[in-house]
Amino acid sequence: MHQPPPPHQQPGPPATAYGQQPWTDPASAPPTGGDWPHPPGRGPWGGRLSALWANKSLRATALVVLLSLSGLVILALVRRQTGTEGFLVGLGLAILPVPLLLAAFRWMDRIDPEPWRNLIFAFAWGACAATLVALIANSFATEWLTTTVADSSPSGQADADTWGATLVAPVVEESAKAAAVLLLFLFRRRDFNGIVDGVVIAGITATGFAFTENILYLGTAFVSDQEFGYSGIRSTTAATFFIRAVMSPFAHPLFTAATGIGFGIAAAAAQHQRARRVLVPIAALLGAMVLHGLWNGSATFGGYGFLAVYALFMVPVFGLLTWLVIWSRNNQLRTIRTQLTAYQATGWLTPPEPIALSSMRARGIARDLARRTQGPAAARVVADYTATATSLAFLRHRAYRGTAGPDFTTRESELLDRLWKHRETAQPALAHAALAVPMPRRPIPRPHPGMMPPPYWPPAPHATYAPHTTYAQPGPYGYPAWPPAQQPPYPQGQP
């Protein structure tokens, strides 16, 4: 079957309407910043260390070794404190809420899912490295408080435990968990687009931390029950499981999600908003510490005080976080619809696609239709097409903010080529799915020529044009294929 050429090989206004392709001139390339912790190919230390740092395989191996050693050390420490039987009981009970929490965070991240390697790293960091740092630091802090406070008051030991749980533990634990979010923010910025990504990464990191911590608490409770002869529903193990795994499994994810929100806001900030990108994550981390300290301190208020803090503070905060995530997801869908209209105007996408791709319901209908009519392979093609279009929309949105990185054109062309290869299977299914989506109340905004760079369009191989000619021929679907030549390809300031 004859395959029609992609839009850049079809007759139409050439890419030289500006005199050059967007961002082929290094002077007009978007500035590096959010997408690179340091310039590509250059390590932070220089010399031989720079070459070692630039080796991705070496960095990945060092990270795996670090997490593995941390896991072995924390395993030995927990097992020494709980014993083998207590460890196995704690492990079996602590793992029960983990699948539910992971499923909830994956549901939040359905629009633009985080790569599995990022999620595995976040969980492993929380379960191994962050827990080990917190356990060691809390032990030293508690010992110091015991020696300094216990000698100064009759209730010194109780005061030391309260201060350690309320003041020291929140600072240490939230800082250790925030390190995973910071690392992904710096070195995986392509996958870090906003608040939803920050909440998901932070939540999964905290889920790993809570998992290991629950093994310790439940195993210790089981050892205590064995020593005093408690069993059944009245046992310490049952009470600990009810409080930590049934009543408040979201506690640690909720605290660290505040940090993730801060990094998400920083990731969505424009290139020139440097103060926001630095101060907001710090303020969010302090907020996470306050939440954690209030939760730990509520245990000192007695049973009724704990329930009051739980009902009047923690539940509303959890509801506020849920609303914020839903609002952010809807904002992501609006971004997809807005950014993909530029590719519809130049012929890469058909008119129904921005509508269908910006609706989770339409995406599901398209996959189901492809599966029923052409089999599971077609459904996977539609899913890949949807993911590629979503990545393209967010890439273009980062270019608008000035944080796309110097390889924007290369990445954009790769994504467009991938879309073009799967269009015959995906486009009919998405067109059918768009019929099930109500039309937007407001028309889809068309990007102003001076506000955004045009989509990738290599020079036509069959014709040569004058470099500074204005072309006004209509493009696909009646839109002008290129803005006037007088417009700059990409303004460096804000529009």
Side-chain angles (χ1 to χ4, degrees), residues 7 20 57 59 66 84 87 89 166 183 199 208 226 266 268 276 307-309 348 369 391 422 430:
Q20 63 180 8
S57 300
R59 292 206 307 264
L66 172 63
T84 302
F87 172 79
V89 171
T166 306
L183 289 173
V199 170
Q226 293 294 102
R276 177 183 298 182
L307 293 176
V309 171
W348 289 100
L369 178 63
S391 299
H422 298 325
L430 290 168

mmCIF file of all heavy atoms in Angstrom, residues 7 20 57 59 66 84 87 89 166 183 199 208 226 266 268 276 307-309 348 369 391 422 430:
data_model
loop_
_atom_site.group_PDB
_atom_site.id
_atom_site.type_symbol
_atom_site.label_atom_id
_atom_site.label_comp_id
_atom_site.label_asym_id
_atom_site.label_seq_id
_atom_site.Cartn_x
_atom_site.Cartn_y
_atom_site.Cartn_z
ATOM 1 N N PRO A 7 4.158 15.314 6.671
ATOM 2 C CA PRO A 7 3.863 16.681 6.264
ATOM 3 C C PRO A 7 5.050 17.444 5.733
ATOM 4 O O PRO A 7 4.889 18.266 4.826
ATOM 5 C CB PRO A 7 3.336 17.309 7.571
ATOM 6 C CG PRO A 7 2.753 16.169 8.321
ATOM 7 C CD PRO A 7 3.621 15.000 8.002
ATOM 8 N N GLN A 20 15.901 30.014 8.286
ATOM 9 C CA GLN A 20 16.577 28.877 8.901
ATOM 10 C C GLN A 20 15.558 28.083 9.689
ATOM 11 O O GLN A 20 14.471 28.553 9.981
ATOM 12 C CB GLN A 20 17.698 29.339 9.819
ATOM 13 C CG GLN A 20 17.180 30.164 10.999
ATOM 14 C CD GLN A 20 18.304 30.609 11.886
ATOM 15 O OE1 GLN A 20 19.455 30.442 11.549
ATOM 16 N NE2 GLN A 20 17.966 31.173 13.021
ATOM 17 N N SER A 57 26.485 4.477 32.531
ATOM 18 C CA SER A 57 26.503 3.116 33.058
ATOM 19 C C SER A 57 27.206 3.061 34.408
ATOM 20 O O SER A 57 26.760 2.365 35.331
ATOM 21 C CB SER A 57 27.200 2.178 32.064
ATOM 22 O OG SER A 57 26.512 2.165 30.827
ATOM 23 N N ARG A 59 27.474 5.548 36.564
ATOM 24 C CA ARG A 59 26.621 6.195 37.554
ATOM 25 C C ARG A 59 25.501 5.256 37.996
ATOM 26 O O ARG A 59 25.171 5.174 39.181
ATOM 27 C CB ARG A 59 26.028 7.487 36.986
ATOM 28 C CG ARG A 59 27.018 8.593 36.731
ATOM 29 C CD ARG A 59 26.346 9.959 36.784
ATOM 30 N NE ARG A 59 25.191 10.035 35.916
ATOM 31 C CZ ARG A 59 25.198 10.533 34.680
ATOM 32 N NH1 ARG A 59 26.346 10.979 34.169
ATOM 33 N NH2 ARG A 59 24.105 10.596 33.968
ATOM 34 N N LEU A 66 25.004 1.364 45.861
ATOM 35 C CA LEU A 66 24.678 2.134 47.058
ATOM 36 C C LEU A 66 23.354 1.676 47.664
ATOM 37 O O LEU A 66 23.254 1.449 48.878
ATOM 38 C CB LEU A 66 24.616 3.620 46.705
ATOM 39 C CG LEU A 66 24.101 4.564 47.809
ATOM 40 C CD1 LEU A 66 25.038 4.533 49.008
ATOM 41 C CD2 LEU A 66 23.944 5.972 47.269
ATOM 42 N N THR A 84 14.393 -13.096 63.840
ATOM 43 C CA THR A 84 13.951 -13.635 62.547
ATOM 44 C C THR A 84 12.438 -13.774 62.479
ATOM 45 O O THR A 84 11.803 -13.376 61.491
ATOM 46 C CB THR A 84 14.615 -15.001 62.304
ATOM 47 O OG1 THR A 84 16.037 -14.857 62.333
ATOM 48 C CG2 THR A 84 14.188 -15.571 60.964
ATOM 49 N N PHE A 87 10.812 -10.380 62.337
ATOM 50 C CA PHE A 87 11.042 -9.769 61.025
ATOM 51 C C PHE A 87 10.077 -10.326 59.977
ATOM 52 O O PHE A 87 9.503 -9.567 59.182
ATOM 53 C CB PHE A 87 12.490 -10.002 60.597
ATOM 54 C CG PHE A 87 12.776 -9.569 59.185
ATOM 55 C CD1 PHE A 87 12.978 -8.240 58.884
ATOM 56 C CD2 PHE A 87 12.821 -10.505 58.151
ATOM 57 C CE1 PHE A 87 13.224 -7.838 57.575
ATOM 58 C CE2 PHE A 87 13.073 -10.122 56.856
ATOM 59 C CZ PHE A 87 13.274 -8.789 56.562
ATOM 60 N N VAL A 89 7.123 -11.750 60.461
ATOM 61 C CA VAL A 89 5.758 -11.287 60.737
ATOM 62 C C VAL A 89 5.594 -9.821 60.330
ATOM 63 O O VAL A 89 4.601 -9.437 59.693
ATOM 64 C CB VAL A 89 5.426 -11.485 62.225
ATOM 65 C CG1 VAL A 89 4.102 -10.811 62.582
ATOM 66 C CG2 VAL A 89 5.372 -12.960 62.567
ATOM 67 N N THR A 166 9.081 14.508 67.872
ATOM 68 C CA THR A 166 8.379 15.692 67.375
ATOM 69 C C THR A 166 9.288 16.645 66.610
ATOM 70 O O THR A 166 8.859 17.267 65.636
ATOM 71 C CB THR A 166 7.729 16.440 68.554
ATOM 72 O OG1 THR A 166 6.909 15.530 69.289
ATOM 73 C CG2 THR A 166 6.875 17.587 68.062
ATOM 74 N N LEU A 183 17.009 14.334 43.435
ATOM 75 C CA LEU A 183 17.837 13.672 42.431
ATOM 76 C C LEU A 183 17.085 13.501 41.109
ATOM 77 O O LEU A 183 17.636 13.761 40.028
ATOM 78 C CB LEU A 183 18.303 12.315 42.962
ATOM 79 C CG LEU A 183 19.343 12.359 44.085
ATOM 80 C CD1 LEU A 183 19.587 10.953 44.636
ATOM 81 C CD2 LEU A 183 20.642 12.970 43.594
ATOM 82 N N VAL A 199 4.163 14.802 43.170
ATOM 83 C CA VAL A 199 3.404 14.055 44.172
ATOM 84 C C VAL A 199 3.621 12.554 44.014
ATOM 85 O O VAL A 199 3.784 11.822 44.997
ATOM 86 C CB VAL A 199 1.911 14.408 44.071
ATOM 87 C CG1 VAL A 199 1.068 13.468 44.928
ATOM 88 C CG2 VAL A 199 1.678 15.855 44.492
ATOM 89 N N GLY A 208 7.874 3.500 50.169
ATOM 90 C CA GLY A 208 9.011 2.627 50.470
ATOM 91 C C GLY A 208 9.539 2.849 51.880
ATOM 92 O O GLY A 208 9.877 1.890 52.591
ATOM 93 N N GLN A 226 4.984 -11.605 72.239
ATOM 94 C CA GLN A 226 5.517 -12.921 72.593
ATOM 95 C C GLN A 226 6.086 -12.929 74.009
ATOM 96 O O GLN A 226 5.964 -13.920 74.748
ATOM 97 C CB GLN A 226 6.604 -13.324 71.600
ATOM 98 C CG GLN A 226 6.106 -13.587 70.195
ATOM 99 C CD GLN A 226 5.202 -14.804 70.124
ATOM 100 O OE1 GLN A 226 3.977 -14.686 70.056
ATOM 101 N NE2 GLN A 226 5.799 -15.986 70.146
ATOM 102 N N ALA A 266 8.253 24.114 41.034
ATOM 103 C CA ALA A 266 9.541 24.560 40.496
ATOM 104 C C ALA A 266 9.753 24.047 39.077
ATOM 105 O O ALA A 266 10.284 24.755 38.217
ATOM 106 C CB ALA A 266 10.677 24.099 41.405
ATOM 107 N N ALA A 268 7.479 23.471 36.884
ATOM 108 C CA ALA A 268 6.579 24.175 35.965
ATOM 109 C C ALA A 268 6.930 25.640 35.817
ATOM 110 O O ALA A 268 6.308 26.336 34.995
ATOM 111 C CB ALA A 268 5.137 24.041 36.457
ATOM 112 N N ARG A 276 11.696 31.315 42.379
ATOM 113 C CA ARG A 276 10.631 30.335 42.610
ATOM 114 C C ARG A 276 11.185 28.924 42.563
ATOM 115 O O ARG A 276 10.782 28.061 43.357
ATOM 116 C CB ARG A 276 9.525 30.510 41.574
ATOM 117 C CG ARG A 276 8.409 29.486 41.694
ATOM 118 C CD ARG A 276 7.374 29.643 40.600
ATOM 119 N NE ARG A 276 6.724 30.939 40.662
ATOM 120 C CZ ARG A 276 5.748 31.314 39.832
ATOM 121 N NH1 ARG A 276 5.344 30.484 38.875
ATOM 122 N NH2 ARG A 276 5.191 32.501 39.939
ATOM 123 N N LEU A 307 -7.024 11.476 68.009
ATOM 124 C CA LEU A 307 -8.185 11.406 67.122
ATOM 125 C C LEU A 307 -8.613 12.791 66.654
ATOM 126 O O LEU A 307 -9.059 12.963 65.513
ATOM 127 C CB LEU A 307 -9.337 10.703 67.833
ATOM 128 C CG LEU A 307 -9.134 9.211 68.140
ATOM 129 C CD1 LEU A 307 -10.319 8.664 68.923
ATOM 130 C CD2 LEU A 307 -8.946 8.425 66.834
ATOM 131 N N ALA A 308 -8.473 13.790 67.529
ATOM 132 C CA ALA A 308 -8.837 15.150 67.132
ATOM 133 C C ALA A 308 -7.917 15.662 66.026
ATOM 134 O O ALA A 308 -8.373 16.258 65.038
ATOM 135 C CB ALA A 308 -8.791 16.074 68.349
ATOM 136 N N VAL A 309 -6.615 15.455 66.187
ATOM 137 C CA VAL A 309 -5.673 15.873 65.139
ATOM 138 C C VAL A 309 -5.940 15.110 63.855
ATOM 139 O O VAL A 309 -5.901 15.684 62.749
ATOM 140 C CB VAL A 309 -4.222 15.655 65.624
ATOM 141 C CG1 VAL A 309 -3.233 15.870 64.479
ATOM 142 C CG2 VAL A 309 -3.914 16.598 66.774
ATOM 143 N N TRP A 348 0.389 17.334 10.991
ATOM 144 C CA TRP A 348 0.872 16.117 11.647
ATOM 145 C C TRP A 348 -0.269 15.348 12.319
ATOM 146 O O TRP A 348 -0.216 14.131 12.421
ATOM 147 C CB TRP A 348 1.927 16.464 12.695
ATOM 148 C CG TRP A 348 3.241 16.920 12.122
ATOM 149 C CD1 TRP A 348 3.673 18.207 11.996
ATOM 150 C CD2 TRP A 348 4.275 16.100 11.596
ATOM 151 N NE1 TRP A 348 4.915 18.228 11.432
ATOM 152 C CE2 TRP A 348 5.323 16.944 11.170
ATOM 153 C CE3 TRP A 348 4.429 14.720 11.435
ATOM 154 C CZ2 TRP A 348 6.491 16.479 10.613
ATOM 155 C CZ3 TRP A 348 5.602 14.246 10.883
ATOM 156 C CH2 TRP A 348 6.618 15.107 10.473
ATOM 157 N N LEU A 369 -11.477 0.152 21.075
ATOM 158 C CA LEU A 369 -11.892 -0.010 19.687
ATOM 159 C C LEU A 369 -10.813 -0.703 18.866
ATOM 160 O O LEU A 369 -11.104 -1.620 18.076
ATOM 161 C CB LEU A 369 -12.223 1.353 19.080
ATOM 162 C CG LEU A 369 -12.626 1.359 17.605
ATOM 163 C CD1 LEU A 369 -13.921 0.567 17.402
ATOM 164 C CD2 LEU A 369 -12.783 2.789 17.093
ATOM 165 N N SER A 391 3.942 13.147 25.306
ATOM 166 C CA SER A 391 5.324 13.609 25.483
ATOM 167 C C SER A 391 5.624 14.795 24.585
ATOM 168 O O SER A 391 6.319 15.740 24.987
ATOM 169 C CB SER A 391 6.297 12.465 25.196
ATOM 170 O OG SER A 391 6.092 11.386 26.071
ATOM 171 N N HIS A 422 2.686 5.327 13.182
ATOM 172 C CA HIS A 422 1.537 4.632 13.769
ATOM 173 C C HIS A 422 0.203 5.295 13.437
ATOM 174 O O HIS A 422 -0.825 4.889 13.976
ATOM 175 C CB HIS A 422 1.681 4.582 15.291
ATOM 176 C CG HIS A 422 2.873 3.823 15.778
ATOM 177 N ND1 HIS A 422 3.347 2.702 15.119
ATOM 178 C CD2 HIS A 422 3.701 4.007 16.845
ATOM 179 C CE1 HIS A 422 4.405 2.226 15.765
ATOM 180 N NE2 HIS A 422 4.646 3.011 16.802
ATOM 181 N N LEU A 430 -8.825 7.198 17.317
ATOM 182 C CA LEU A 430 -8.958 8.443 18.069
ATOM 183 C C LEU A 430 -10.060 9.323 17.497
ATOM 184 O O LEU A 430 -10.773 10.005 18.256
ATOM 185 C CB LEU A 430 -7.624 9.191 18.072
ATOM 186 C CG LEU A 430 -6.506 8.562 18.907
ATOM 187 C CD1 LEU A 430 -5.167 9.213 18.610
ATOM 188 C CD2 LEU A 430 -6.826 8.671 20.401
#
